[in-house]
Amino acid sequence: RGAGSGLRDALSEFFPAAACLPLTVSGLNKSSWVPKKDYDTEQLSHTCLQVPAHTLMVVDETRMGEGQLQDTGCKNLIALQKLVKEQKVPFDFQYYQVDFPTDVPILVTSEAKPLVPVDCLYR
């Protein structure tokens, strides 16, 4: 359990819902966080970036260690940065991408300079 989980539990009293997103190299590289349309099943995949509006998302960078981000990891980090900075989640429709607006407050915990842009930094 990282710092983000405990913080999420404490802050869940003040938000309708809360989610913790632990950032690790293996987690970023594992599978896509960008929802993708599967035209064979006519379904959109569900990812960790899709949460209900007003859900507090605690991004826990304290678990991030050394390692190499692969292509999927880089795309996931870019999608997370878009969520934090622009409040948009990119959806991949195979032939084009659409950014859908969202309303998700974000709290980033980090032991170093955050990988995602933040408006306020407390040290």
Side-chain angles (χ1 to χ4, degrees):
R1 246 175 94 101
S5 295
L7 195 53
R8 178 209 54 215
D9 293 344
L11 291 173
S12 66
E13 298 294 321
F14 302 100
F15 290 88
C20 184
L21 181 59
L23 281 192
T24 63
V25 172
S26 63
L28 283 163
N29 287 334
K30 186 176 178 180
S31 61
S32 179
W33 292 358
V34 175
K36 186 174 184 173
K37 171 84 180 232
D38 181 339
Y39 285 95
D40 292 332
T41 63
E42 292 297 321
Q43 300 284 322
L44 278 170
S45 63
H46 179 76
T47 71
C48 60
L49 298 184
Q50 293 171 270
V51 295
H54 312 294
T55 297
L56 171 66
M57 183 177 287
V58 179
V59 178
D60 185 2
E61 290 187 8
T62 63
R63 296 181 178 193
M64 184 62 91
E66 293 182 14
Q68 177 91 22
L69 283 182
Q70 306 300 322
D71 185 56
T72 299
C74 291
K75 288 179 181 176
N76 288 339
L77 190 56
I78 290 168
L80 178 60
Q81 290 171 340
K82 181 180 286 272
L83 173 63
V84 172
K85 189 174 180 180
E86 301 174 27
Q87 286 290 291
K88 293 180 180 178
V89 177
F91 280 65
D92 179 1
F93 287 92
Q94 192 172 354
Y95 305 108
Y96 58 97
Q97 181 174 307
V98 177
D99 294 338
F100 285 93
T102 189
D103 186 5
V104 178
I106 308 280
L107 179 66
V108 178
T109 60
S110 182
E111 294 174 343
K113 183 179 177 184
L115 297 172
V116 294
V118 294
D119 291 331
C120 181
L121 185 63
Y122 175 78
R123 292 183 188 216

